[in-house]
């Protein structure tokens, strides 16, 4: 069965998802605030007018304020029986609020944790779904078009919020895996005994217990930039690992690897210089260790 849906947000993820749905035979009416996004319509109101009832609108905008704003506006345009799908990285606790907000007007809500990045348009997306079973069944043709071929990649994780909770934990695991790979790469690069770090890492892709898609991506990066010298020594954190650590604290589950990976990202993006300056000062004060001096301050 093919469907006609609205897609709000046509960025790197939303645009490719819309294209994958169209290739599967679905009709996608796209809206984005950018006129250069390839959008079909120029406003949410116009988008709603193009959709048959019961309407399905899939939202792919940044979490927080942008998603809150879109959900609120959709609540003014949609009718009882219509369905809003949030496929972004919204905090799972916000899902319940959005579902309640829309439910006042009889509008249904489903959250879909979506993983696959910019490769998902070609390979399919891992989809973690939260919501009422009837609402999930309503969009099953879309979910099956978006997921990878085969039996895997799609799960109804639980009620509203469960999809984004599962995706949040997924991203926390991702933080830890990426941090371990980065640390291993750094150790290899610092060792004089290793002749070709990039070749060593590439060799792990076959037969090794650490072979994975993330390892493939790391090798791709080393092929584009040997030694990774073209990459900045910073890595932003987008929120999911922080939420995972907070949820784990509430649940009494220790997550030291995820927390450490989160702290490493935060340190790389600012503040670590002041931290290390304070550490240097303390070591000098209590132990008489020579204080580190920056080049501009030691002149």
């Amino acid at each position: 069965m093919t469907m006609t849906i609205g897609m709000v947000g046509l960025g790197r993820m939303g645009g490719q998802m819309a294209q994958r749905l169209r290739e599967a035979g679905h009709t996608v009416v796209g809206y984005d605030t950018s006129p250069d996004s390839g959008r079909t319509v120029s406003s949410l109101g116009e988008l709603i007018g193009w959709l048959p009832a019961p309407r399905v609108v899939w939202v792919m905008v940044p979490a927080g304020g942008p998603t809150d704003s879109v959900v609120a506006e959709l609540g003014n345009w949609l009718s009882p029986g219509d369905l809003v799908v949030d496929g972004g990285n919204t905090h799972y606790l916000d899902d319940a609020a959005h579902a309640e907000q829309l439910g006042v007007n009889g509008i249904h809500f489903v959250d879909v944790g979506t993983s696959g990045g910019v490769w998902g348009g070609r390979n399919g997306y891992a989809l973690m779904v939260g919501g009422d079973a009837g609402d999930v069944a309503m969009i099953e043709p879309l979910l099956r078009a978006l997921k990878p071929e085969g039996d895997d990649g799609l799960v109804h994780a639980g009620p509203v919020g469960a999809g984004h909770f599962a995706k949040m934990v997924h991203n926390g695991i991702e933080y830890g895996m990426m941090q371990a790979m980065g640390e291993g790469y750094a150790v290899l690069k610092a060792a004089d005994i290793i002749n070709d770090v990039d070749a060593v890492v590439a060799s792990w892709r076959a037969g090794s217990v650490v072979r994975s898609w993330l390892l493939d991506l790391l090798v791709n990066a080393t092929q584009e930039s040997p030694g990774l010298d073209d990459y900045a020594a910073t890595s932003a954190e987008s929120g999911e690992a922080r939420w995972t650590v907070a949820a784990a604290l509430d649940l009494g589950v220790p997550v030291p690897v995820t927390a450490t990976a989160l702290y490493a990202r935060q340190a790389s993006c600012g503040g670590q210089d002041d931290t290390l300056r304070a550490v240097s000062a303390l070591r000098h004060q209590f132990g008489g260790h020579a204080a580190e001096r920056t080049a501009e301050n030691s002149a």
Side-chain angles (χ1 to χ4, degrees), residues 135-147:
D135 294 335
V136 176
M138 180 178 177
I139 61 170
E140 185 173 352
L142 305 175
L143 299 173
R144 296 205 169 275
L146 289 170
K147 78 177 198 67

Side-chain angles (χ1 to χ4, degrees), residues 257-273:
V257 172
T258 305
T260 300
L262 170 64
Y263 297 151
R265 293 227 194 159
Q266 291 176 333
S268 78
C269 293
Q272 78 275 23
D273 292 339

